[in-house]
Amino acid sequence: MDWGQLWEIVSAPDNVPIVAMLFLVPFFTWYGFRQALANDRLIERLSKDPELAKTHHRKVEPYREGWSQKLYVWPHLLRVEFLAAIIVTVILMIWSITLNAPLEEPANPNLTMNPAKAPWYFLGLQEMLVYFDPWIAGVVMPTFILLGLIIIPYVDTNPLGNGYYTFRQRKFAILTFLFGFFVLWLSMVFIGTFIRGPGWMWFWPGQTWDHHRLVFEVNRDLNEIFGIVNQPWVGLFGAAAVGLYFVVFGWLTHKLFVWNDFNRKIFQQMTLVQYLTLQTFLLVMWALPVKIILRLVFRIKYVMVTPWFNI
Amino acid sequence: MNDDEKSVTPEPESDESGSQRPTSLIDRLKKGLSPFIAKGKKDLRAAKDYKRTQVWKSVFRHKLDETPRNRALAVLTNVFLHLQPAKVNRDAIRFGFTWGMGGITLYLFIVLTITGVFLMFYYHPTKGQAYLDIMYLHNDVPFGGLLRNMHRWGAHLMIITVWLHMFRVFLTGSYKTPREFNWSIGVILLVLTLLLSFTGYLLPDDQLGFWAVTVGTNMARATPLLGHEGPFGSLLGMTAYNDVRFALLGGSIVDANALLRAYIWHCIAIPLILAVFLTVHFWRVRKDGSISGPAPVMLESEMKFPRK
Ligand code: HEM
């Protein structure tokens, strides 16, 4: 265990935000879910008792008969906002007094940094480079992530949970989002920051960064496993493999859409365009973990090889 | 008041001569000043009732007594505050619902703008000079180090708060009708925030920024069709000297032109674009009926599907 190495990574000034996120994200997840579960209990109670549902104010926040629903922004909201501004200022000041922003040697194209890392918030993309070629990891995936986020409101046909925390009423949406945000984005950022060392190799936390380490990985392409080595068969085989992925995972995703009564009800409301759009984006999303497993477990580099591009 | 004023006659210019009135200099000075003293006293009295002065009334356009009307006016007659309604959902004020993340993000953007303007006073976006400027700023300018640190850490913090803001908007289902469009605006704000941070990373012109931006923009080489190493790029005649990466960097490597471009994007273009989208974002929050909740919970049996 090389504590020095670990400390060097954790305390690198530009890594401090990620260390902060290690605490902030779990905290706010817990905080949000605590409210979601409280609401869910209320929902449960109300659905069992239709009479109560008619008269209940339907919130878990403190409530008293006769309280006005609305409060004046001044002073009630503004004082909270000013307080928040002061607290943020104090935090930022203390952080800025105690920790200096990094300034390395002057830029030098002839002296490659090893590892050369993107800023931490893009490390997810850089980590993706291990599993996909740059045109996918650096261009296609970011595009899909952003478009995927933008279309969320237009493909989520579930009208429940609009404006309050709930888990029960939006299981599919919330689990999918958490999977994307935590597993595919944040964890990749953490791996890129804390795990990847020189040569973008895998170093466990506390393992010394060995700049001379060489790893001989025997990576094969999927077609080689099947003994197909000549074009155009390789390309056609790859296209078939990708097609198979889409069919199988499309079918699995569809199974999720019709998992239970509630999901079926939501599914029925979807137009064909909504359904196909959602399927497309989910399939691109699942492709990342699938490729990670293919790569790490089966040592497969490409699934589809063509003269122009590889997947 | 008026009596005082009448009793004073204007003194002749040449009072040093002392020929007309044999009073002492001090007395005469007192007499001469007395109208001003009287005025001063009047002002002092008025100052106790400052809310009726012309200046006060011209600045604050309404009274400040704690009446509902004035509480509403305090917000509505202020250009900065009137982004907000006069009244809000009582439960929305609780920290628990919004976590204050949108507001904190905005506040950080403002802090970054202010510290950024100060940084610009000391920074030349030219190769060689840029690095020295940062060194000088950080080590020799009074509070320069603090300024630079606040800008740097504020930027990191803003990224975290944008993510958390998006997370809470998702968890509360606030992107649902009628706020779909504002969510999409939000995603654009997220991208702009990331780009703002990324372009700033290069500006110190040190190894860290240089390699981060090199790694980042290398991916642009692989853009399908538009990058010279991307699928079909070479078929379309892309080379290292005319593809998207070249357009981003103003060259085939990260060099002086890239520094200048990053600077202009970082200090002018992206902040302006961000401000425009922010305006739309806030305007939509209001027009979509203020923030979404905490709304009364809806039951499965009451589900109504909106038309598409
Ligand atoms: C520069 C970045 C951003 C700023 C300064 C900002 C600011 C705000 C503020 C002040 C609010 C009022 C409520 C609150 O504080 O939560 C708000 C609401 C909202 N924001 Fe943002 N936002 C930003 C980015 C985003 C992003 C990335 C998204 C989503 C992808 C988003 C989606 C929304 C939506 C849908 C609402 C309405 C929420 C509701 O009705 O409860 N915003 N934003």
Side-chain angles (χ1 to χ4, degrees):
Chain A
M1 192 73 186
D2 183 348
W3 291 103
Q5 179 75 60
L6 185 65
W7 177 245
E8 200 182 305
I9 298 173
V10 172
S11 67
D14 265 355
N15 289 348
V16 169
I18 316 176
V19 179
M21 278 186 67
L22 275 175
F23 295 96
L24 284 173
V25 172
F27 170 75
F28 279 108
T29 311
W30 167 80
Y31 194 48
F33 266 81
R34 203 175 72 129
Q35 298 178 65
L37 296 182
N39 275 331
D40 287 350
R41 278 192 295 276
L42 177 66
I43 290 166
E44 171 107 56
R45 228 174 84 212
L46 294 183
S47 18
K48 281 195 188 133
D49 188 348
E51 278 312 304
L52 183 65
K54 274 183 205 147
T55 53
H56 197 272
H57 64 280
R58 300 201 170 194
K59 289 192 189 181
V60 289
E61 282 81 13
Y63 173 83
R64 208 171 291 158
E65 208 66 51
W67 265 2
S68 61
Q69 288 237 356
K70 298 204 154 193
L71 289 181
Y72 281 103
V73 164
W74 170 257
H76 300 286
L77 178 59
L78 283 178
R79 96 181 145 201
V80 181
E81 288 173 352
F82 289 142
L83 189 66
I86 291 170
I87 293 173
V88 173
T89 312
V90 170
I91 292 174
L92 193 57
M93 282 281 198
I94 293 177
W95 188 358
S96 301
I97 289 170
T98 50
L99 196 65
N100 273 325
L103 186 65
E104 306 257 331
E105 302 286 301
N108 183 352
N110 301 318
L111 190 71
T112 315
M113 293 251 284
N114 191 7
K117 291 193 179 185
W120 60 271
Y121 39 84
F122 284 150
L123 281 183
L125 300 180
Q126 203 178 350
E127 175 65 15
M128 253 190 255
L129 281 173
V130 176
Y131 311 103
F132 287 109
D133 274 0
W135 68 277
I136 300 186
V139 185
V140 174
M141 280 298 187
T143 312
F144 267 87
I145 293 172
L146 295 175
L147 290 180
L149 284 172
I150 287 179
I151 57 130
I152 286 177
Y154 302 101
V155 293
D156 182 356
T157 44
N158 178 359
L160 295 185
N162 184 346
Y164 52 92
Y165 289 93
T166 171
F167 176 61
R168 214 179 116 99
Q169 294 184 330
R170 300 174 54 215
K171 276 189 191 143
F172 181 78
I174 289 185
L175 288 177
T176 313
F177 189 85
L178 288 184
F179 182 75
F181 188 43
F182 287 2
V183 181
L184 297 186
W185 186 251
L186 292 182
S187 72
M188 301 275 269
V189 170
F190 291 130
I191 291 175
T193 312
F194 297 121
I195 306 280
R196 293 297 178 177
W200 209 255
M201 281 186 245
W202 190 284
F203 290 88
W204 292 104
Q207 196 179 344
T208 313
W209 278 10
D210 175 1
H211 283 261
H212 305 289
R213 185 168 104 169
L214 290 174
V215 176
F216 293 100
E217 285 180 346
V218 193
N219 286 323
R220 315 154 284 185
D221 299 337
L222 189 63
N223 50 292
E224 287 166 1
I225 298 178
F226 288 86
I228 303 170
V229 285
N230 294 322
Q231 290 289 8
W233 307 115
V234 173
L236 290 176
F237 173 81
V242 173
L244 188 71
Y245 161 78
F246 272 89
V247 171
V248 170
F249 278 78
W251 179 74
L252 288 175
T253 312
H254 183 82
K255 281 279 155 210
L256 284 180
F257 287 175
V258 292
W259 182 260
N260 57 23
D261 275 346
F262 182 74
N263 285 13
R264 269 194 294 278
K265 234 186 259 176
I266 305 301
F267 167 67
Q268 263 172 7
Q269 293 305 316
M270 277 190 200
T271 62
L272 185 64
V273 176
Q274 283 177 321
Y275 176 77
L276 292 179
T277 317
L278 185 55
Q279 271 279 12
T280 311
F281 280 96
L282 287 177
L283 284 175
V284 174
M285 180 162 126
W286 306 142
L288 181 58
V290 168
K291 193 73 196 282
I292 291 180
I293 291 171
L294 282 182
R295 179 58 180 269
L296 294 184
V297 180
F298 298 103
R299 299 256 160 253
I300 289 172
K301 187 160 165 65
Y302 292 124
V303 176
M304 177 175 178
V305 179
T306 74
W308 310 281
F309 62 88
N310 306 318
I311 294 177
Chain B
M1 238 3 82
N2 286 343
D3 296 2
D4 291 351
E5 276 161 23
K6 269 181 219 150
S7 67
V8 179
T9 41
E11 299 288 330
E13 282 292 300
S14 58
D15 50 359
E16 287 91 10
S17 62
S19 56
Q20 286 159 319
R21 288 186 200 161
T23 36
S24 75
L25 200 62
I26 308 261
D27 281 348
R28 296 185 52 210
L29 208 58
K30 265 190 194 160
K31 208 166 177 192
L33 284 179
S34 68
F36 296 102
I37 292 172
K39 276 183 197 298
K41 280 184 181 158
K42 193 175 163 190
D43 284 359
L44 271 181
R45 243 172 285 142
K48 280 189 191 150
D49 200 8
Y50 57 91
K51 285 180 192 165
R52 301 177 71 171
T53 58
Q54 186 186 5
V55 175
W56 181 274
K57 281 191 196 159
S58 72
V59 177
F60 303 95
R61 302 177 53 217
H62 58 88
K63 294 193 181 132
L64 286 185
D65 320 341
E66 299 238 329
T67 62
R69 182 183 139 81
N70 286 336
R71 286 190 167 169
L73 285 176
V75 172
L76 298 182
T77 63
N78 180 308
V79 64
F80 301 107
L81 300 182
H82 97 285
L83 275 171
Q84 316 189 52
K87 280 178 148 190
V88 286
N89 180 346
R90 106 176 283 129
D91 301 317
I93 290 172
R94 305 169 67 83
F95 179 75
F97 186 69
T98 66
W99 310 341
M101 279 304 158
I104 291 175
T105 310
L106 171 67
Y107 179 66
L108 285 170
F109 180 63
I110 295 170
V111 170
L112 287 168
T113 309
I114 295 171
T115 51
V117 168
F118 282 118
L119 291 179
M120 284 175 78
F121 287 139
Y122 293 93
Y123 179 84
H124 304 77
T126 34
K127 213 61 189 166
Q129 186 65 43
Y131 184 82
L132 296 177
D133 284 343
I134 300 289
M135 283 258 273
Y136 173 66
L137 173 85
H138 198 123
N139 299 319
D140 294 322
V141 174
F143 298 106
L146 181 67
L147 198 64
R148 176 166 178 251
N149 292 346
M150 280 182 74
H151 197 73
R152 180 89 165 202
W153 304 139
H156 285 329
L157 205 55
M158 182 169 166
I159 290 175
I160 297 178
T161 57
V162 175
W163 284 356
L164 289 176
H165 172 58
M166 181 172 83
F167 190 35
R168 99 81 191 149
V169 170
F170 187 88
L171 285 183
T172 54
S174 300
Y175 58 83
K176 301 194 175 196
T177 317
R179 297 182 182 78
E180 301 97 325
F181 184 69
N182 214 15
W183 167 273
S184 310
I185 295 282
V187 177
I188 293 176
L189 288 172
L190 172 74
V191 180
L192 289 172
T193 309
L194 292 175
L195 287 180
L196 207 46
S197 218
F198 186 62
T199 48
Y201 218 65
L202 181 65
L203 297 184
D205 198 25
D206 64 346
Q207 281 285 69
L208 203 58
F210 176 84
W211 286 104
V213 171
T214 301
V215 168
T217 52
N218 273 350
M219 296 194 193
R221 275 185 192 156
T223 313
L225 308 181
L226 295 179
H228 73 282
E229 285 175 6
F232 308 113
S234 50
L235 291 183
L236 286 180
M238 290 297 157
T239 67
Y241 303 99
N242 64 3
D243 65 352
V244 269
R245 181 164 177 274
F246 190 90
L248 289 176
L249 296 179
S252 59
I253 55 163
V254 179
D255 203 14
N257 284 350
L259 190 60
L260 184 60
R261 285 190 189 199
Y263 176 74
I264 292 170
W265 280 113
H266 184 77
C267 300
I268 300 170
I270 303 180
L272 282 180
I273 301 171
L274 190 88
V276 172
F277 278 96
L278 266 187
T279 315
V280 180
H281 195 60
F282 297 146
W283 187 76
R284 280 304 288 243
V285 172
R286 286 295 304 280
K287 294 294 160 181
D288 293 338
S290 208
I291 66 167
S292 61
V297 298
M298 207 208 270
L299 303 182
E300 207 184 312
S301 52
E302 303 160 342
M303 254 195 312
K304 273 198 277 330
F305 290 98
R307 257 173 15 101
K308 276 152 230 135

